Amino acid sequence: MQEQLLHREVVFAGRLITVYRDDVVLSDGQRRVREIVHHPGAVAVLAVKGDGRVVLVRQYRHAIGRMSLELPAGTLEPGESPEVCARRELEEETGYRAGVLRELVRFAVSPGWTDEELVVFVAEELELSQPRPAADERLSVVELTTDEARLAIARGEISDAKSLIGLLGYFGWQLR
């Protein structure tokens, strides 16, 4: 059932993504065009404090035109492992360092059009350090109890996929 790549053309190459136009042959011989966005991969971190509160960030997201309450997250740097990226992003965005970091889940973000894989980690035994957000990041740290986080999901206040998958995975896939 695999598709055979006949030709790949770069349609756009930016700082973060590359867009390809692939000409492929399907398993039954038909030819089709696939538009693929290449992304280097990303991580999200569900930081859990000793008292059970979860650490989120609130930031404006231009693509959706509004503020978003999310897990701290970021894109892998060239050659960087997901774990190193998770530790870096957590500290940069929240000022917390993880004493313990474990992988919760990894998933294909939207395999119909992008190859991006996202890895969600749980960070525990947090130690407060100094946040160092990127020059273009304007965010605030928000700490919620697990009940408040569940309510924020139910109200649609937390609505991005990585945060929903991470939080619901951590909560055992239950809102209540």
Side-chain angles (χ1 to χ4, degrees):
M1 298 294 291
Q2 288 188 325
E3 298 177 359
Q4 178 187 2
L5 178 65
L6 296 176
H7 177 74
R8 170 168 276 182
E9 173 187 357
V10 175
V11 177
F12 171 81
R15 178 184 61 80
L16 180 63
I17 63 167
T18 303
V19 180
Y20 297 106
R21 181 182 185 274
D22 289 354
D23 294 315
V24 301
V25 176
L26 306 181
S27 59
D28 65 3
Q30 293 184 53
R31 291 180 70 157
R32 292 289 185 265
V33 172
R34 303 286 191 228
E35 294 168 339
I36 306 296
V37 174
H38 169 71
H39 186 281
V43 302
V45 184
L46 174 53
V48 182
K49 296 185 73 172
D51 63 5
R53 286 181 294 154
V54 295
V55 181
L56 305 168
V57 293
R58 186 181 313 277
Q59 60 188 318
Y60 182 80
R61 291 297 197 176
H62 179 75
I64 60 173
R66 64 181 168 84
M67 295 297 285
S68 184
L69 184 57
E70 312 175 0
L71 296 180
T75 302
L76 295 169
E77 298 289 340
E80 185 178 46
S81 73
E83 182 176 332
V84 168
C85 182
R87 289 183 182 282
R88 175 178 53 79
E89 287 293 338
L90 178 64
E91 187 170 0
E92 285 178 1
E93 293 189 1
T94 69
Y96 283 105
R97 288 188 187 130
V100 173
L101 189 69
R102 62 183 167 85
E103 185 175 317
L104 177 65
V105 65
R106 61 178 60 213
F107 61 95
V109 172
S110 189
W113 62 271
T114 182
D115 63 357
E116 180 181 2
E117 179 179 72
L118 198 137
V119 184
V120 180
F121 289 90
V122 174
E124 297 170 310
E125 297 180 19
L126 304 179
E127 177 185 318
L128 191 55
S129 178
Q130 194 66 21
R132 298 179 319 278
D136 65 343
E137 288 181 318
R138 307 291 182 269
L139 44 82
S140 60
V141 176
V142 177
E143 297 180 5
L144 300 177
T145 65
T146 55
D147 286 342
E148 290 169 335
R150 284 182 175 95
L151 190 56
I153 291 169
R155 290 180 176 158
E157 296 166 8
I158 298 172
S159 62
D160 70 295
K162 70 181 179 311
S163 299
L164 290 172
I165 290 169
L167 287 163
L168 292 174
Y170 184 75
F171 295 153
W173 307 105
Q174 298 174 18
L175 278 177
R176 304 216 189 279

